[in-house]
Amino acid sequence: MDKPIFYAPDIAEGAAAYTMNEDTSKYCIQVLRHENGDEVLLADGRGHCFHAVITDDNRKRCGVRITSCDTLPAPSPALRIAISFTKNASRIEWFLEKATEIGIRTIIPLVSHRTEKEKIKAERLQNILVSAMLQSQQFYLPELQEPQPFEKVVHSNTDPQKLIAHCLPGQKRELIDHLQPGKDTIILIGPEGDFTPEEIQLALDKGFEPVSLGKNRLRTETAGLVAVTLMNMKL
């Protein structure tokens, strides 16, 4: 796909024209040097790909004419990850960027007993997701949910395949060998210091199955990225 893609979250289905916001217009016209007559693509983050032609190359309010719209199927199966955010914001931002590029449907900031960071800068993180979606030429924006307590995620989850990665000794299957293709899946990734034994037992009691991400002890964001990568390879 050689046409540039720009984010248009408020574009309406069936729209004949659209005006980009100031930041997107500046990037399109001033940075990328596009001009009237150039063809571009617009993504609303909900699976629509709008084909458009620039009609007003204003760097503050770039206008385009919509020529057609494709609706792309949602990624299937749905892959979700509930992960404890780290105190170091740059590490979790790196995870969000890479997980979006690889492919993830939903990200749940998980608040467990040992979680270091319970509050998030939603707008900044959303911008990271958007940039990663566009860079990887996708048209579905991952859903970043509000932080949720561990107990709520465990009790309310209904995914057909429910997994928890933890570091305590015990019988665990390798994630890549345990995944069942075609099933919507959620995996829980704990904080630095891991889940508590009580949390692990609660998850097991609620039908979550224990899995291993390899023989090495991984940082939280590394474990999350390994999990997302393996799920995309197998599912």
Side-chain angles (χ1 to χ4, degrees):
M1 188 177 297
D2 54 0
K3 297 176 184 176
I5 306 173
F6 300 98
Y7 188 44
D10 55 346
I11 190 171
E13 289 187 60
Y18 181 75
T19 301
M20 300 180 189
N21 64 33
E22 185 171 346
D23 288 341
T24 304
S25 297
K26 181 178 179 180
Y27 182 66
C28 176
I29 303 304
Q30 189 169 328
V31 177
L32 297 184
R33 304 291 184 180
H34 287 296
E35 56 187 19
N36 288 341
D38 286 354
E39 297 182 354
V40 298
L41 301 176
L42 302 178
D44 63 0
R46 300 182 296 276
H48 298 107
C49 171
F50 295 86
H51 299 257
V53 177
I54 296 176
T55 55
D56 182 4
D57 51 8
N58 187 301
R59 66 181 183 178
K60 290 189 176 182
R61 51 181 186 282
C62 177
V64 301
R65 173 173 53 85
I66 309 300
T67 58
S68 64
C69 176
D70 300 324
T71 301
L72 306 178
S76 181
L79 305 181
R80 306 203 301 151
I81 186 167
I83 182 170
S84 291
F85 276 26
T86 61
K87 189 174 182 180
N88 186 328
S90 63
R91 285 166 49 194
I92 207 67
E93 289 173 1
W94 175 85
F95 163 75
L96 292 175
E97 178 184 74
K98 302 310 174 186
T100 300
E101 291 178 16
I102 294 168
I104 192 74
R105 176 76 69 84
T106 305
I107 301 158
I108 305 170
L110 189 62
V111 182
S112 63
H113 181 72
R114 295 173 178 152
T115 295
E116 299 174 303
K117 189 178 183 66
E118 299 183 11
K119 295 182 180 180
I120 64 174
K121 296 182 178 179
E123 184 176 355
R124 175 176 172 80
L125 299 184
Q126 192 73 7
N127 289 336
I128 290 172
L129 297 181
V130 170
S131 295
M133 176 191 72
L134 298 177
Q135 189 278 329
S136 54
Q137 298 189 332
Q138 300 180 68
F139 290 87
Y140 279 91
L141 183 67
E143 178 190 7
L144 177 63
Q145 295 188 358
E146 293 291 326
Q148 296 185 28
F150 178 89
E151 292 79 7
K152 179 180 178 180
V153 174
V154 168
H155 280 286
S156 63
N157 187 265
T158 58
D159 283 294
Q161 191 164 207
K162 303 186 290 187
L163 310 171
I164 180 172
H166 66 81
C167 301
L168 293 185
Q171 193 169 30
K172 293 180 284 187
R173 294 178 61 185
E174 295 293 330
L175 175 60
I176 191 67
D177 297 327
H178 191 71
L179 293 169
Q180 300 178 50
K183 286 190 174 183
D184 292 351
T185 301
I186 185 171
I187 187 166
L188 311 181
I189 302 293
E192 303 294 335
D194 203 12
F195 296 116
T196 65
E198 293 78 13
E199 287 171 333
I200 295 171
Q201 189 58 54
L202 175 61
L204 299 182
D205 291 343
K206 292 299 179 180
F208 282 78
E209 300 178 70
V211 294
S212 170
L213 300 176
K215 63 180 181 179
N216 297 333
R217 181 69 66 94
L218 305 176
R219 285 178 178 268
T220 296
E221 73 277 10
T222 308
L225 195 61
V226 169
V228 171
T229 301
L230 293 177
M231 288 194 296
N232 272 277
M233 288 174 58
K234 187 69 176 285
L235 300 178

